[in-house]
Amino acid sequence: DGMNVLFIIVDDLRPVLGCYGDKLVKSPNIDQLASQSMVFSNAYAQQAVCAPSRVSFLTGRRPDTTRLYDFYSYWRVHAGNYSTMPQYFKENGYVTLSVGKVFHPGVSSNYSDDYPYSWSMPPFHPSAEKHENDKTCRGKDGKLYANLVCPVDVTEMPEGTLPDIQSTEEAIRLLNILKTNRQKFFLAVGYHKPHIPLRYPQEFLKLYPLENITLAPDPWVPKKLPSVAYNPWMDIRQRDDVEALNVSFPYGPIPDDFQRQIRQSYYAAVSYLDVQIGLLLNALDNVGLSNNTIVVFTADHGWSLGEHGEWAKYSNFDVATRVPLMFYVPGMTTSPASQGARVFPYLDPFSHFGGSAPQGQSAKVVELVSLFPTLAELAGLQVPPVCPETSFGVVLCTEGTSIVHYFNVSGGKVEEGKKGCDNTARCFNGEPVAFSQYPRPADTPQWNSDKPKLKDIRIMGYSMRTTDYRYTVWVQFDPNNFSANFQDVHAGELYMMENDPNQDYNIYNNTSHGWFYKRILD
């Protein structure tokens, strides 16, 4: 009666995965999941920073409704007592469990990961997490540093392990208990890597010889990029190894050879993550639950790897807002496996070569805010109603829309992104749209441009992405009453995807864009 849910959320993972066409990265276990899943190639986060994105998709509300643009408020107190996705499953008879980083820890989830509202028992956090920013990276001089690029010998680490290894072990332990428990479960597992520091077992470097690593295709700051749109990647500058490079503020650049090392370590961290996913899914097989468990795999946002002369998240570009998103639904995305057949045998990235194509793929533009209604529908629960225009007093509603109707593609076929919209989807001329936003303290890059506190926000960049374009307006914002003044436009961006897929050539100033402007106001 109803399916279990395994919800896998990764920190800062852009879609550099084999199943998304990346030729360099080795991600056999995630690719294997994709080969049994519906994969969305145009999925976007609502704000490219951890806490606002997570609170948005876990409540099904946009950042203007959660009123969280930074890390320092709890939506139930500050905005409205909104139900969350795990809370809704819990109220519908599921055991709900959280392992690792699901909610962003701290004030924004009430210092409790929203327990007891969202979870049946207190969430698990790996004990090794507290050493994340310690000096554990061995430099060339043999001393220990808090570096950005940080391949390590796991046996030398405090507690002899790493946080994501502990999270996988705990999730597997819980699956072994749940298999005997007979009660439906919603198990959320949050992985830290590839979030900085890029700290991972050093053997993964072997997969990525430095001579194979290129720079970003567009490692320069675009000529017509408004200064308000640029994020100066302060969190990277503060790591010991980057600080030693004495890179100028705000535009850098980081020396080419070090850019390659960052990219190399990001890929290595992704392969380390892939091993964790492989072990977790293999455990799902081992306990015999692959046949009645929905698996969702996504990330809270992307991460720039030198594109536009930028690093980290904190922007409205695709590299920061676009995420992997896939749904494995037994009997829907796959034919049910015969009893005892293995769906997810573990694949070793060091010896497994050759990719596997996604089971179904949709190029439809979709948003993470749609996760809540989509998972409710897939699990056979009543889909939460669409929110009214103002919904601060409404406990249960969603500003996203279920995307289950996009699943009806025959296996192996890529569905084009243009047609098909129902009335509830954010659509324009019958075409789906994804909205993202990012706050700034000023028109030019400041030390706090990446992560301005609410009281310091003066400008909000509202961005909309369709199959054909990305359009962004940076407008005056008043943090005292959370209001954006669309009459006061500080800057704008318009990128046409067909001839500018990397978003390098801003044509906002030489295009009449009343049509786009009218759409973003809706």
Side-chain angles (χ1 to χ4, degrees), residues 328-493:
Y328 162 80
V329 189
M332 185 178 193
T333 62
T334 62
S335 46
S338 50
Q339 221 40 49
R342 300 200 71 79
V343 185
F344 302 119
Y346 173 74
L347 303 173
D348 181 349
F350 292 92
S351 56
H352 181 85
F353 300 103
S356 39
Q359 171 63 24
Q361 204 172 0
S362 174
K364 286 279 197 296
V365 170
V366 297
E367 308 176 283
L368 287 186
V369 74
S370 294
L371 272 170
F372 186 169
T374 302
L375 264 180
E377 183 172 345
L378 287 173
L381 305 180
Q382 193 167 359
V383 178
V386 175
C387 292
E389 188 141 336
T390 308
S391 64
F392 296 108
V394 183
V395 171
L396 179 68
C397 69
T398 173
E399 293 179 334
T401 179
S402 171
I403 58 175
V404 174
H405 57 287
Y406 293 155
F407 282 52
N408 307 334
V409 267
S410 49
K413 190 169 122 225
V414 177
E415 190 196 22
E416 288 314 315
K418 284 286 184 72
K419 307 277 175 299
C421 252
D422 56 27
N423 296 335
T424 55
R426 284 285 180 117
C427 285
F428 194 26
N429 284 4
E431 184 181 3
V433 182
F435 287 93
S436 303
Q437 61 191 97
Y438 212 86
R440 295 280 187 240
D443 286 300
T444 54
Q446 310 293 317
W447 66 272
N448 63 337
S449 286
D450 295 341
K451 295 188 276 194
K453 290 187 170 170
L454 176 64
K455 67 176 174 45
D456 297 323
I457 297 171
R458 295 292 174 271
I459 302 162
M460 188 69 75
Y462 288 95
S463 192
M464 66 177 187
R465 174 72 155 83
T466 69
T467 308
D468 295 330
Y469 61 83
R470 179 174 285 287
Y471 173 73
T472 306
V473 282
W474 298 88
V475 302
Q476 187 262 334
F477 184 83
D478 183 347
N480 298 308
N481 60 4
F482 303 92
S483 67
N485 178 7
F486 280 86
Q487 306 310 305
D488 185 359
V489 178
H490 288 229
E493 297 169 82

Side-chain angles (χ1 to χ4, degrees), residues 11 99-106 113 123-134 136 158-159 161-167 190-193 196-197 199:
D11 223 347
V99 171
K101 185 175 174 184
V102 179
F103 279 100
H104 191 85
D113 297 85
F124 170 87
H125 284 281
S127 57
E129 202 179 292
K130 60 180 172 289
H131 307 296
E132 266 297 90
N133 292 309
D134 293 359
T136 55
E159 305 181 46
T161 188
L162 292 171
D164 287 344
I165 296 172
Q166 290 183 304
S167 292
Y191 286 107
H192 280 263
K193 293 304 113 178
I196 69 166
R199 191 168 74 117

